[in-house]
Amino acid sequence: MHPVIPYVIAALLFGLGVTGVLRRRNAILILMSVELMLNAVNLILVTADATLRSAVGERAPTGQVFTLFVIVLAAAEIGVGLAIVLRLFRLRGEINADEIKLATREDDDVRRDAPVEDVHVA
């Protein structure tokens, strides 16, 4: 098996994913870009396993096992990520990553000074 083509395709997929994470503002598209990067890693794992198995003659399918592990992690990651994005959309009405205001030091100071009954948990 000639492993150059899968490695090049994996590098292109990973590059597209990195570009998507760095350039996109929509949280859904950022999650999709992360998934693209994980799929590139899966392709590398399967290709490396097939290449090494043909060269060494080993029978243990370690690359496929790692790929299944990455797929399970990706499924969990997308579930949690979509839940966070959905909650963010319900709270703020937008999912633009640049518009998300993270907690600041002043917000923490205001919360510490506020009486307990004024703090509302959404």
Side-chain angles (χ1 to χ4, degrees), residues 1 3 10 13 26 28 46-47 59 64 73 75-76 83 88 92 120:
M1 181 177 153
L13 283 176
N26 190 328
I28 299 290
V46 170
T47 304
R59 293 235 179 232
Q64 286 91 0
L73 284 179
L88 185 69
R92 311 241 170 144
H120 299 285

Side-chain angles (χ1 to χ4, degrees), residues 35-105:
E35 292 296 320
L36 205 59
M37 288 191 293
L38 289 173
N39 285 328
V41 170
N42 286 339
L43 185 59
I44 288 174
L45 286 172
V46 170
T47 304
D49 182 55
T51 305
L52 290 176
R53 204 174 337 157
S54 67
V56 177
E58 184 181 328
R59 293 235 179 232
T62 54
Q64 286 91 0
V65 172
F66 281 127
T67 300
L68 285 175
F69 184 70
V70 171
I71 288 171
V72 169
L73 284 179
E77 174 259 335
I78 200 68
V80 171
L82 284 176
I84 290 172
V85 168
L86 182 64
R87 183 68 183 159
L88 185 69
F89 181 74
R90 286 183 180 167
L91 286 175
R92 311 241 170 144
E94 63 183 1
I95 53 174
N96 188 351
D98 290 339
E99 301 295 327
I100 297 172
K101 292 182 181 177
L102 301 176
T104 61
R105 183 102 175 137

